[in-house]
Each structure stands twice: as C-alpha cells, then as structure tokens.
Amino acid sequence: MKSKALQAVLDRVTSRKTLSKERAPSPLGLHPGEETDLARAHQNDRFHDECAVFGIHGHEEAAHIAYLGLYAMQHRGQESCGIVSSVGGEHLAHRAMGLVADIFGRKALARLEGRHAIGHVRYSTAGESLLRNAQPICANTDGGPVAIAHNGNLVNANTIRKELEGRGAIFGSTSDSEVILHLLARSREPQIEDRFIDAISRVKGAYSIVLLTDDAMVGARDPSGFRPLSLGRLEGAWVLASETCALDLIGATYERDIEPGEVVVIRRGRLRSLRPLSQRAPEHFCIFEYIYFARPDSNLMGHNVYEFRKDLGRALAREHSVSADLVVPVLDSGAAAALGYAEEAGIPYDTALIRNHYVRRTFIEPAQAIRDFGVKVKHNAVRSLLTGRRVVLVDDSIVRGTTLVKIVAMLRMSGAREVHVRISAPPTVGPCHYGIDTPTREELIAYDNTIDEIRQIIGADSLGYLSGDGLRQTAQSGLKLGICDGCFSSEYPIPIEAEDDLPQLSLFRVMEEEVDQ
Ligand code: AMP
C-alpha cells in the first residue's frame, strides 16, 4: 500500500491535487488555467535561474554588443532584460519584459549611445513578472550615476534594509540588489569603486555584479564565488559576462575568470584588480551551474560544462549499471550525461526522445482535449527505436518529478520493454539560498520520499541517482574547485538569517521610471 506521503506526491505530480472543485475540468478535458497556460505550466514545474550579467567598456557599439551578449545568455532568464549605456557622464536605460530579441529593436539600441554598457536578463516567478523588476537598477548619487546588474542572492539584505530604514533611508524597491546601491550612496569614500567596496563589505551571500559609473565599469564576485563571471577582450574593449558563451558570440577573447572576492575596476582602457575584502572564505562555486544551468558550450572557471556533464554520466554508469539495450537522454538537459553513461556502460546511445525547441508561452493550445498534451508538445518518442527495448533514460535532475512521470509513460506507450531512470546528480532535497529560484522544500519530490518511492511515482523499473560522494569526487578531480552543493546536501556554506530566508525575487517591489521603448 502507498504511504500518505507517497499518495500526496502522486496526486501532486499527476497534477490533479491542485484541481479544486471550483476548478472543474472543461468539456475539453483540460482544466481552467491548463487551457490557457500549458506551455507556461511546463516551465513552472522547474527551478528557474535568476539571471545573467554582461558589461562592455570602451567599444563604439557597446549597446549592440551588450544585446548580443545577453542574447547568448537568454537561457539564464527569460522574463525581462535591460541595458544601460553611459554617454557624456549620463546613463541611458532600456528595460522591458520579454526576450532579448523581442525587446531590443534597432531603434531602442540606437538610443543607447555611448562606448560603455551593462546588461541583465532575469527570470521572475509568476506574479512578480513586472517591468519594474527588470535590471540593471539605476540610481543618481552625489558621485554621479550608477547602474547595477546583479546575479545571485544576498542573504542579509533584509537585515541591512531594516537597519538603513531605521536611519531614515527610503527604498524604492525591496530588491536585495538595491541594498548595495543604498550602501554605496551612503559611503563617504571619494571614489565610486571604493564606495562600492564599502557596500559589498557589508553584504553576505552570492553576487556576481557588473556596475557602471559615469566613467568606469566595475566587476565583482563574492568571496565564496557562488556565481560565475568571466573577463574578455574585444577590439581593445573590456568585457564581463556570466558565461563564456557570450564571449564566443561577440567574438571576444576569453582572458580569465574574475576570482572569488576580486573586484576589477576598468577605467580609460585599464583594468585594476583589487582584493579588498578582509573576509577570507573557502570557494563555493555553485555545482548546479555545471549540472544544469550553464550552457554546455560555456567554460566555467576554465572547465567546460559539457565535458563535466559527460564525466557525471560516466560516474553514474559506474555507480548504477544495468543490463539495457539503449541509453536515451531527456533532451536537452540529459544529453551530455547520457552520452557519458553510454560510453562508460558500452550501451548504444540514441535520441529516441525528440524535443520541439520552439514551444513558447504565446503558443495556442488545442481546442480539443489531447492526452498528456503538455508533455507531448515538448517531447515525442521515436517508436521504432524503442519497441521491445530495455531503455536507460538519463536526465540531470528530478525536481518535482512531473516531467519524468510523463516521459516514462510515453516511452512505455511507445513500446519500451523496461525503463531504467538514471540521474546524473544526487536527489534535490533543498532550496537554493544563493540566487536560484527553487520550489519550496516540500515541493521537491526527493525531500520526503525515498528513492524507491520516487521510482514508483515516476513508474520506472529502476532508479539510480549519482551519490553525493560521486558528485564531489567528480568535481574534485574534474574541476578542482570548492563547490556549493547545498540543494543536494542541505549543507549551506553561508548561514541564512531567518528573516532573510526569502527567495530573491519575492523581495522585488521596484518602482522605476522606464525609458520609452
Ligand atoms: P521536474 O519535472 O519538476 O522533476 O523537473 C525536472 C526537469 O527540470 C529536468 O529535466 C531538469 O533538467 C530540469 N531542471 C532541473 N533543475 C532546473 C532548474 N533549476 N530550472 C529549470 N529546469 C530544471
């Protein structure tokens, strides 16, 4: 018999629990909300990475280049984006909801004059998807205009905010990033970069920041180095980007990564590197960037993401071997790990699940009820490859289990004889406090279910996750980095101040004037 907890999760993942009486199915068999929002629902099953930052200093086409940089990093946030340029000591901004290519037309880019620009893409949770939340955030200080683009989450932002409010500060938003601007504005240091350093010496948590002043660009990473930030050069200009795939698109050369705790100040073509923070922290690079978030063609801290994912797949095959005929990835997330698994296990690899890459939120749902439409619109199986086969299905992670319940069923319906699920990371048991918008702990399928319960829920013949040790060893030998694996181990390197234990995005209440589109 199923336990209550197991039944609750089954209800949840088959998404019937949420259907209250007043939300009865329509005659089409679809439910209110499902009818209007299937594609979005598919996305909302998942965590969402917050953002990417980009900056370029000293290029004739700064805003255009920033646009391309953001375009390359669209995977890190699809709700809103913005670019701020600097010309003649003034800042020009353009921020809007939507995808980079939809927001920035020739006109908008042409208005963003100047040889320096920073940009940001972000995801925000439902209800928070507001234009006023878009970054970069701009402010005028007595030291000139400042714009900030931030990737990460500050764990003591609320505490600092309350303290500053107690001293008379008026916040225009509740964004954690705005706290940095307030601290900067209050600093008595003469130079903006020193004011910025004053500010970051007060904050705790995760930040990769690009800051634009009237004459300089500043890049910084927190002392633990949770989020990436790479440095590049393009025709004499300096470039900062969350991921190297942005450098590749604009044709910039990769110089190096900004080190944890490092602040770089770029002014008049010269770069100064500072190590201003007295806190010495062990490095805690977010391992989930490698496992899922970053683009596989990016190199993080000098290590290629795709290759590391393959290594995880190999380690997974060593830990969880099984007799099978075919290794199939859940595309795109499981592709590299599945290949690594197949190579290590000596089992043929085939993409027997095909993904439609063009599913967008604006997409119109069917007028007729179609079974499992939500998953089928995104994935479909290649029946001829699957009939009678014993399949190893590989993905990088299970969050709520929703995707796998449907995909395993789809493989079986397409003729698979056995389906063995393999996950190239340990069970996701906790939220991220350092900049990734995660479901609550209770919503994570692995939080309150054993592995065998999860196997039953997703309907697999067997289920194997990479162990925590397997992950750490692969990271140690492949990356040689200190990592944060808090979402898998519940060991959080920077303690959360209780009142600050809020997702970054629910903090946003920004009221900003927007430049016309
Ligand atoms: P779920 O259906 O909720 O179990 O989600 C699992 C799927 O979400 C897997 O295919 C993962 O690759 C993907 N995934 C894992 N983490 C994230 C994340 N933070 N954001 C978006 N998708 C994710």
Side-chain angles (χ1 to χ4, degrees), residues 42 372-380 402-403 406-407 410:
H42 199 74
D372 292 329
F373 180 75
V375 71
K376 285 201 294 203
V377 72
K378 195 155 180 191
H379 291 104
N380 196 16
T402 322
T403 311
K406 294 179 177 171
I407 285 183
M410 182 184 281

Side-chain angles (χ1 to χ4, degrees), residues 45-47 288 292-293 333 395-397 399-403:
D45 284 341
R46 292 146 178 247
F47 298 1
F288 211 59
Y292 172 81
F293 281 128
S333 46
D395 204 354
D396 68 304
S397 54
V399 182
R400 295 174 180 168
T402 322
T403 311

Side-chain angles (χ1 to χ4, degrees), residues 159-210:
T159 314
I160 296 179
R161 181 193 162 100
K162 280 190 189 132
E163 179 197 315
L164 292 176
E165 282 176 337
R167 287 170 24 211
I170 297 172
F171 278 72
S173 82
T174 50
S175 149
D176 62 338
S177 313
E178 195 194 349
V179 163
I180 297 179
L181 279 186
H182 272 263
L183 291 170
L184 179 155
R186 286 175 164 248
S187 166
R188 299 280 39 103
E189 293 289 340
Q191 288 275 57
I192 287 272
E193 56 263 36
D194 296 323
R195 291 174 165 214
F196 173 68
I197 288 164
D198 252 8
I200 57 172
S201 65
R202 290 286 319 278
V203 301
K204 289 190 225 155
Y207 56 84
S208 280
I209 288 177
V210 177

Side-chain angles (χ1 to χ4, degrees), residues 11-168:
D11 287 344
R12 191 168 67 222
V13 296
T14 52
S15 63
R16 291 299 171 248
K17 187 188 160 203
T18 48
L19 301 171
S20 62
K21 291 205 180 78
E22 62 281 11
R23 299 183 74 230
S26 72
L28 302 178
L30 295 172
H31 295 266
E34 282 179 321
E35 284 164 331
T36 53
D37 227 352
L38 276 174
R40 175 183 286 266
H42 199 74
Q43 284 219 348
N44 283 347
D45 284 341
R46 292 146 178 247
F47 298 1
H48 297 277
D49 191 16
E50 312 284 20
C51 12
V53 298
F54 185 89
I56 178 151
H57 205 261
H59 196 282
E60 286 309 319
E61 294 189 288
H64 279 77
I65 302 287
Y67 161 81
L68 291 175
L70 296 179
Y71 186 86
M73 298 190 291
Q74 187 76 81
H75 60 289
R76 297 179 72 91
Q78 298 97 45
E79 282 286 346
S80 67
C81 68
I83 296 177
V84 172
S85 70
S86 165
V87 61
E90 273 186 50
H91 281 177
L92 301 167
H94 183 72
R95 288 166 293 232
M97 301 301 296
L99 301 176
V100 178
D102 298 336
I103 290 167
F104 289 98
R106 281 184 199 288
K107 253 165 87 180
L109 285 175
R111 278 196 209 131
L112 295 172
E113 294 171 52
R115 303 181 72 245
H116 320 301
I118 65 169
H120 190 264
V121 293
R122 78 187 286 265
Y123 175 82
S124 69
T125 48
E128 302 284 345
S129 318
L130 302 168
L131 173 58
R132 63 186 188 230
N133 297 338
Q135 290 198 26
I137 304 177
C138 302
N140 278 313
T141 71
D142 59 356
V146 183
I148 189 169
H150 169 206
N151 176 204
N153 187 41
L154 308 178
V155 299
N156 65 342
N158 271 355
T159 314
I160 296 179
R161 181 193 162 100
K162 280 190 189 132
E163 179 197 315
L164 292 176
E165 282 176 337
R167 287 170 24 211

Side-chain angles (χ1 to χ4, degrees), residues 307-386:
E307 286 182 37
F308 182 69
R309 287 181 191 168
K310 257 180 107 175
D311 287 347
L312 292 177
R314 288 193 186 101
L316 180 63
R318 289 193 292 273
E319 285 189 6
H320 295 284
S321 65
V322 62
S323 295
D325 307 307
L326 194 61
V327 176
V328 175
V330 176
L331 292 178
D332 297 328
S333 46
L339 201 52
Y341 189 103
E343 283 179 8
E344 184 75 22
I347 302 173
Y349 168 100
D350 234 323
T351 47
L353 261 179
I354 303 298
R355 178 171 164 203
N356 179 350
H357 286 265
Y358 304 98
V359 180
R360 290 185 64 170
R361 289 181 180 183
T362 47
F363 143 95
I364 302 175
E365 291 88 31
Q368 305 265 325
I370 298 176
R371 221 180 113 97
D372 292 329
F373 180 75
V375 71
K376 285 201 294 203
V377 72
K378 195 155 180 191
H379 291 104
N380 196 16
V382 183
R383 184 175 284 272
S384 56
L385 292 177
L386 292 165

